[in-house]
Amino acid sequence: MRYFLAAAREENMTRAAELLHVTQPTLSKQLKSLEDELGKKLFIRHSFSIQLTEEGVLLRKRAEDLVRMADKITEEFHTLDDLSGGEIFLGLAESYQIRRIAAVIRTLKNIYPDLRYHITSGDTEQVTEKLNKGIIDFAVLAQEPDTSRYHSLKFPDSDLWGVVMPASCPMAQKETIRMEDLIGLPLFCSEQGWHNDITKWCNNRIDQLHLEGSFRLSYNGSLFVKEGLGYLLTFEHIINTSPDSGLVFRPLAPRLETNIYLIWKKYQVFTPISERFLEMLKLNFDS
């Protein structure tokens, strides 16, 4: 898999062989063996370059996950008896409450200076996919978890929904925003939030609202708001709405809040540093 990924990245057998510190015939033989084993052609070979076939593109995604998982397993075994550090892998939804995780990691870093942590951001679909594959240890979701598959820890607070808009627009003069205020306006929102939280808030009248575009990251949506292209439905504290930002946040009415959860797989075996992280996070939530 590592040989395949190197060749796919470089699109050149000579360069890939040099990076892998093997001869080109050795690399070619390994890749041909892989193609024979899978029964599919993975590369189109040109005079001075190689190109992935459709099957090769599919394998590249799978190979990247497999290599990350293999590296993670190796690191876990190396750190089983390591009391000075280790690695933690987290997949996080957007929420101001992530500050609690940052605070715990800061404390852990002071105690275990060799701690290394890896953060990936995304919606529920993205982070649970990585959790299920074993690529990450914990995920943070902006929706109730599947208790048949995961253990969970509920964050102490909830996230408040509202609208981010230019401070100069007439609607910014309102203290709260009702559904009727949004009818006919170009709206931005995450697909997950639109189909779950916002649909419930609208009492299933979501067809009266216009989703102009969807964003997995609210920050990207706020850039479109600044350009006057629409209004962003998101959590409070995610976007900078300070007086010099040119943006304001107004909460929805009736009030709409979402609970945030830390989850991990059932029957998961943690490394020592992951266990300490979970213990300290529980203490942080109780304080």
Side-chain angles (χ1 to χ4, degrees):
M1 291 296 102
R2 295 183 195 278
Y3 282 7
F4 167 76
L5 286 174
R9 284 193 297 267
E10 296 302 317
E11 298 184 339
N12 181 281
M13 295 289 279
T14 302
R15 288 200 303 268
E18 290 174 352
L19 287 173
L20 293 166
H21 304 292
V22 299
T23 65
Q24 183 175 332
T26 297
L27 177 58
S28 297
K29 183 179 179 180
Q30 290 288 335
L31 294 179
K32 182 63 169 61
S33 176
L34 179 61
E35 288 180 321
D36 291 343
E37 183 177 351
L38 295 176
K40 297 292 182 181
K41 190 174 181 179
L42 302 175
F43 294 99
I44 300 171
R45 290 159 174 83
H46 304 290
S47 299
F48 300 102
S49 66
I50 54 177
Q51 178 184 351
L52 287 175
T53 63
E54 290 185 6
E55 292 82 1
V57 172
L58 174 63
L59 180 62
R60 182 173 186 171
K61 169 61 177 170
R62 300 290 186 265
E64 288 171 345
D65 288 342
L66 287 169
V67 169
R68 279 197 295 265
M69 193 182 308
D71 289 341
K72 184 173 181 293
I73 291 170
T74 300
E75 182 61 28
E76 284 177 348
F77 274 85
H78 285 164
T79 59
L80 280 176
D81 299 317
D82 184 4
L83 299 179
S84 64
E87 294 191 295
I88 301 174
F89 295 80
L90 298 135
L92 306 178
E94 285 190 300
S95 168
Y96 81 102
Q97 296 189 77
I98 298 300
R99 74 187 195 281
R100 291 182 176 272
I101 288 178
V104 167
I105 288 179
R106 181 195 62 206
T107 302
L108 279 173
K109 282 287 288 183
N110 291 334
I111 303 171
Y112 308 106
D114 293 334
L115 165 67
R116 296 180 299 279
Y117 53 94
H118 310 268
I119 306 295
T120 181
S121 299
D123 58 18
T124 295
E125 179 184 359
Q126 289 174 310
V127 297
T128 54
E129 179 185 5
K130 288 182 170 61
L131 184 65
N132 294 337
K133 289 180 177 178
I135 296 172
I136 60 176
D137 303 306
F138 302 97
V140 173
L141 309 182
Q143 68 179 58
E144 288 195 19
D146 181 353
T147 56
S148 68
R149 303 184 67 181
Y150 309 111
H151 292 298
S152 66
L153 188 63
K154 184 178 176 182
F155 279 69
D157 304 312
S158 57
D159 279 70
L160 178 66
W161 278 91
V163 183
V164 172
M165 66 193 86
S168 58
C169 74
M171 197 163 63
Q173 305 306 312
K174 295 177 175 285
E175 292 187 2
T176 60
I177 305 300
R178 307 190 70 84
M179 178 186 167
E180 288 71 22
D181 299 321
L182 301 177
I183 293 175
L185 298 180
L187 303 176
F188 302 123
C189 188
S190 69
E191 287 190 13
Q192 178 181 324
W194 183 262
H195 293 298
N196 295 325
D197 303 78
I198 301 302
T199 295
K200 293 177 184 176
W201 176 74
C202 291
N203 290 321
N204 296 315
R205 295 161 57 201
I206 195 73
D207 58 324
Q208 297 182 34
L209 300 181
H210 171 59
L211 182 64
E212 176 76 7
S214 61
F215 295 87
R216 291 187 187 268
L217 297 176
S218 292
Y219 174 75
N220 290 342
S222 73
L223 300 179
F224 281 64
V225 173
K226 282 190 174 183
E227 292 298 325
L229 293 170
Y231 301 80
L232 176 64
L233 293 159
T234 187
F235 293 155
E236 189 177 18
H237 307 303
I238 296 293
I239 302 303
N240 175 21
T241 56
S242 59
D244 60 346
S245 70
L247 300 175
V248 295
F249 175 91
R250 296 291 181 262
L252 297 177
R255 189 178 180 90
L256 176 63
E257 295 176 312
T258 295
N259 291 319
I260 307 297
Y261 299 85
L262 178 85
I263 68 169
W264 59 98
K265 289 192 298 185
K266 287 191 172 182
Y267 314 112
Q268 183 165 334
V269 178
F270 287 127
T271 59
I273 197 66
S274 294
E275 288 182 350
R276 286 167 173 76
F277 166 77
L278 186 56
E279 291 167 2
M280 293 186 68
L281 194 63
K282 289 178 179 178
L283 290 174
N284 179 284
F285 283 9
D286 291 337
S287 61

